Amino acid sequence: MLFAYGSGSPEPAPAAAYIASRLDRLQILLAHRPNVSYPTYAAKTFATLDQVSDGRLTVHFITGGNDHEQGREGDTLTKDERYARTREYIRIVKKSWTTREAFDHEGEHYRFHDFVSDVFPVQQPRPNVSFGGSSPAAYAAGGAEADIYCLWGEPLAKTAEQIEAVKAAARAAGRTDVPRIQVAFRPIIAPTEELAWEKAHRTVGAIKQRRQAGLVRQHRNGIPEVGAPQNTGSQRLLAIAEAGERYDRALWTPTAAATGGACAPSTTWRRSTAAGSASTGT
């Protein structure tokens, strides 16, 4: 379960701790933006949450793709500067999780001396680090530091290009391994393929009606719902949607277009009543 972050949203870490203390198996994906706390403080927070959840934590680092949203909490760095800061931030968090001896750090964005934590994660050697982004600066930072690189669903050929860019960035950073890839879709599921497509069109119709009626929130995850998106991922989705509605077997872009690139495209599925599973539409 993703515990999301926005400038005006509830703080996700205590919310995740509350849920973790009451559920035994739910895996926690905690979103965190580096501009909101010092990395040594964040490392202790994450380690504490991993203790509370008995090792069920993954941290998803969000660099921030909207200047206005970042400025709400005092972040005035440019996009590329934010990615460089995130890369340094993740390195510090990892070291804080795994180092039992006090250490110093003299970096571009952070400087401290003689730090050692008294709380360490349950997971060994440490929890996984998740990361996302679709720009060259994002590939460089995530390719260097991420265990899991997150992409929005795009046509297969474009997704393959992004995966290769992540792998190349990992090699350029001197890694001998590469991040695992997570791709997000919005599945639309029904008993038959025909019903799934009907449901898909109803879904887009509902999105458009809500926007026209002014029923959408003023901010989506803290990001204004007006104007063209600044983040490369949303820009890519809108360009893909403009070029065509349907790709590969069942990748359908109107949901991404209707939300202004705020979510991944949809894929329609039909349920298999015999196996109790789902299969992609043709």
Side-chain angles (χ1 to χ4, degrees):
M1 175 180 284
L2 171 65
F3 290 81
Y5 187 91
S7 62
S9 67
E11 173 56 37
Y18 177 85
I19 296 297
S21 68
R22 285 156 175 78
L23 298 174
D24 297 328
R25 295 191 300 274
L26 184 73
Q27 298 294 311
I28 296 166
L29 182 60
L30 182 73
H32 180 77
R33 286 207 314 224
N35 62 294
V36 299
S37 67
Y38 214 70
T40 49
Y41 174 86
K44 293 185 296 180
T45 300
F46 303 148
T48 303
L49 181 54
D50 201 54
Q51 290 282 348
V52 170
S53 66
D54 195 24
R56 288 179 279 141
L57 175 68
T58 296
V59 182
H60 181 65
F61 288 92
I62 302 174
T63 300
N66 184 283
D67 293 341
H68 184 77
E69 162 68 353
Q70 296 298 124
R72 285 197 175 103
E73 295 186 290
D75 190 3
T76 59
L77 297 185
T78 66
K79 181 179 178 181
D80 285 356
E81 289 171 339
R82 292 197 296 266
Y83 276 115
R85 178 183 60 190
T86 300
R87 185 171 178 174
E88 182 179 346
Y89 195 100
I90 294 173
R91 287 201 304 268
I92 295 169
V93 169
K94 287 180 178 177
K95 191 168 184 178
S96 299
W97 280 341
T98 57
T99 302
R100 266 59 177 179
E101 301 294 331
F103 66 96
D104 302 336
H105 180 83
E106 292 282 347
E108 180 181 358
H109 299 281
Y110 303 103
R111 296 173 180 84
F112 56 85
H113 303 282
D114 202 39
F115 174 78
V116 62
S117 179
D118 291 328
V119 56
F120 293 93
V122 170
Q123 298 178 76
Q124 293 299 315
R126 57 174 176 78
N128 280 323
V129 166
S130 173
F131 185 92
S134 299
S135 67
Y139 299 145
E145 300 297 339
D147 301 300
I148 304 165
Y149 201 102
C150 302
L151 301 171
W152 275 342
E154 295 186 3
L156 292 175
K158 290 186 177 294
T159 299
E161 291 173 1
Q162 290 206 79
I163 292 172
E164 287 306 312
V166 173
K167 290 180 177 179
R171 291 192 294 268
R175 291 181 62 167
T176 57
D177 63 339
V178 294
R180 304 196 303 277
I181 301 296
Q182 174 183 302
V183 183
F185 299 93
R186 300 294 184 267
I188 296 176
I189 302 172
T192 67
E193 183 178 341
E194 180 181 359
L195 290 175
W197 283 112
E198 290 178 2
K199 185 177 179 181
H201 286 283
R202 288 199 309 273
T203 299
V204 169
I207 294 171
K208 292 179 178 179
Q209 287 178 1
R210 289 180 63 83
R211 293 181 72 90
Q212 291 170 358
L215 297 177
V216 294
R217 291 178 295 174
Q218 182 179 358
H219 300 100
R220 177 183 62 246
N221 292 333
I223 300 174
E225 296 235 16
V226 294
Q230 293 181 346
N231 62 303
T232 304
S234 292
Q235 292 171 1
R236 288 174 63 99
L237 291 185
L238 291 178
I240 290 167
E242 186 176 351
E245 281 196 356
R246 187 170 171 181
Y247 295 86
D248 304 315
R249 288 183 296 176
L251 184 68
W252 199 55
T253 63
T255 47
T259 60
C263 72
S266 297
T267 179
T268 60
W269 295 68
R270 62 179 183 271
R271 279 198 297 268
S272 171
T273 55
S277 60
S279 59
T280 56
T282 56

